[in-house]
Amino acid sequence: MSAASPQSATASANPTAPLSEPFEWPAEGVTRAPYRLFSDPEIYALEQARIFRGPVWSFLCLEVEIPNPGDYRTTTVGEIPVVVTRHREGKIHALVNRCAHKGALVCLKKKDNVATLNCVYHAWNYELDGRLKGVAFRNGIRGHGGMPADFKVENHRLQPLKVEIFCGMVFGTFADDIGGVESYLGDEMANFIKRNLGRPLRVLGTHSQIIHNNWKLYAENLRDSYHATLLHTFYTTFKVNRLDMDGGIILSDRKWHHISFARRAKMTEAEEYAQSKVHSANYDSALEGPGLLEAWEEFDDGITHSIQTIFPNLCVQFTLNSLAIRFFAPRGVDKTELFWIYLGYERDSEEQSNMRVMQSNLTGAAGLVSLEDGCINEFVQRGTRTSPQSASFMEMGGRQVASEKQSRATETAVRGFWQGYRGIMGF
Ligand code: FES
Ligand SMILES: [Fe+2]
């Protein structure tokens, strides 16, 4: 449907119940995002059906997080609890983490290693591929009680998701009629993931944080290259990422994934900071630990900073040598859980691993960048929640939804997100 032709959600062929108040996208199209999208619980519920249970591939975990037979890792797709297991012969399965008896969560830990999956409520017992294996008291006790004679374990199981692994990332989907992950990504996106993750990975650390905003504000924020120079003064001051650097934006074929990339002029600036004060617009500052900015050039394309988003809720980030996956899971209309996984490569030397860990402070829990993003998204949530009828204005870089390889002073990737969102939601 054309971005300029507003449609009511009730017009969609999707069987989910329509909204009690029809939704109209502003006539200006994706240069506007109605604030109602960030605070309406009905729209939030519709997203769970149309996006997270719909035709998308969701990031579940990394293959290296479950290396051994019997390993499992719990996660969510939207708000649906999911467990990813590695079966005895090595195959990875993804299952809805909900017992086929009365719906209790089966796997309760973040990670574990088990022989079978056991529900604590009535001890129903499942194979690692989700098939029901055993039911307690199936034949009753002393000839009384038990399941009816026609009960068959084969008729009950944990609901499976379709699973695919791409560059060490395990993806899952509830959709039957969806192509593979690589075609979902498109060539340019897939190739950049291969650049960053296409060799054996090592997890260096993880952390998570709750942010008090709708999940789509974080999806926007990751695509918003306009703010990085202005909000994140640390980046600007120390030339990690500035809008005047050589860089641009690449949108995927369907516009809903993106890459923002930049080239830092020199990789030796840490020395500069150690010797002299660096002047920013408003103050003098110098790093007590200039080692934070020590970096080496990993690729011959000159790109030293990149943010890549994969619709709906995944980001791969490479800032200097800090490689990280960010995954943000909706936890309610105004609450999101943000997960960070810091990565290196198996082939890294100890010194390289240490440098990656040090640089994780540029964006991670101890750095300022993630703190600022968490904060600013909440400010938008608080500023917009009482004005659902108003909309944002996003015309930086023009009104088009297209790659912009010369500049990041543009909101084109945010418009791309909304174009993808409108398509999948039927708005
Ligand atoms: S709910 Fe799982 S065994 Fe009863
Ligand atoms: Fe940011």
Side-chain angles (χ1 to χ4, degrees), residues 287-300:
L287 285 177
E288 288 291 330
L292 178 67
L293 293 172
E294 266 167 27
W296 79 95
E297 202 147 352
E298 305 215 35
F299 302 100
D300 55 15

Side-chain angles (χ1 to χ4, degrees), residues 218 221-222 224 227-228 231-232 235 326 369-370 372-373 376:
Y218 201 77
N221 178 261
L222 287 168
D224 182 340
H227 84 281
L231 177 68
H232 303 306
Y235 271 6
R326 294 190 229 175
V369 175
S370 65
E372 287 153 356
D373 283 330
I376 203 67

Side-chain angles (χ1 to χ4, degrees), residues 129-164:
D129 61 6
R131 281 177 298 136
L132 180 61
K133 209 175 150 201
V135 168
F137 303 129
R138 181 178 171 182
N139 300 317
I141 296 175
R142 289 188 289 276
H144 297 284
M147 286 292 179
D150 61 357
F151 174 83
K152 290 192 173 64
V153 283
E154 319 69 280
N155 292 343
H156 306 269
R157 58 162 298 136
L158 300 179
Q159 184 189 343
L161 283 78
K162 199 162 148 184
V163 172
E164 226 182 82

Side-chain angles (χ1 to χ4, degrees), residues 201-226:
L201 300 169
R202 185 192 295 172
V203 175
L204 299 175
T206 62
H207 65 85
S208 66
Q209 63 194 103
I210 294 287
I211 48 179
H212 296 277
N213 57 263
N214 183 274
W215 70 275
K216 299 186 297 301
L217 289 175
Y218 201 77
E220 276 200 325
N221 178 261
L222 287 168
R223 290 164 172 84
D224 182 340
S225 45
Y226 179 20

Side-chain angles (χ1 to χ4, degrees), residues 238-302:
F238 297 105
K239 299 184 194 168
V240 177
N241 177 29
R242 300 198 322 197
L243 276 194
D244 59 3
M245 286 172 163
D246 177 31
I249 306 286
I250 302 167
L251 300 187
S252 64
D253 308 345
R254 287 150 88 188
K255 321 294 184 198
W256 56 5
H257 321 305
H258 100 296
I259 301 163
S260 168
F261 65 92
R263 294 182 176 89
R264 192 184 185 196
K266 290 191 287 175
M267 296 297 284
T268 53
E269 283 162 352
E271 284 169 30
E272 201 180 302
Y273 300 124
Q275 288 158 11
S276 63
K277 287 194 169 184
V278 174
H279 297 274
S280 77
N282 303 315
Y283 53 87
D284 285 347
S285 58
L287 285 177
E288 288 291 330
L292 178 67
L293 293 172
E294 266 167 27
W296 79 95
E297 202 147 352
E298 305 215 35
F299 302 100
D300 55 15
D301 55 14

Side-chain angles (χ1 to χ4, degrees), residues 320-352:
L320 302 182
N321 309 107
S322 174
L323 172 61
I325 285 179
R326 294 190 229 175
F327 160 69
F328 47 106
R331 294 286 183 253
V333 71
D334 57 0
K335 191 171 163 187
T336 301
E337 192 164 8
L338 174 59
F339 297 89
W340 298 72
I341 308 173
Y342 292 98
L343 295 169
Y345 303 128
E346 242 176 38
R347 68 178 186 197
D348 287 349
S349 66
E350 198 183 332
E351 190 194 357
Q352 286 173 321

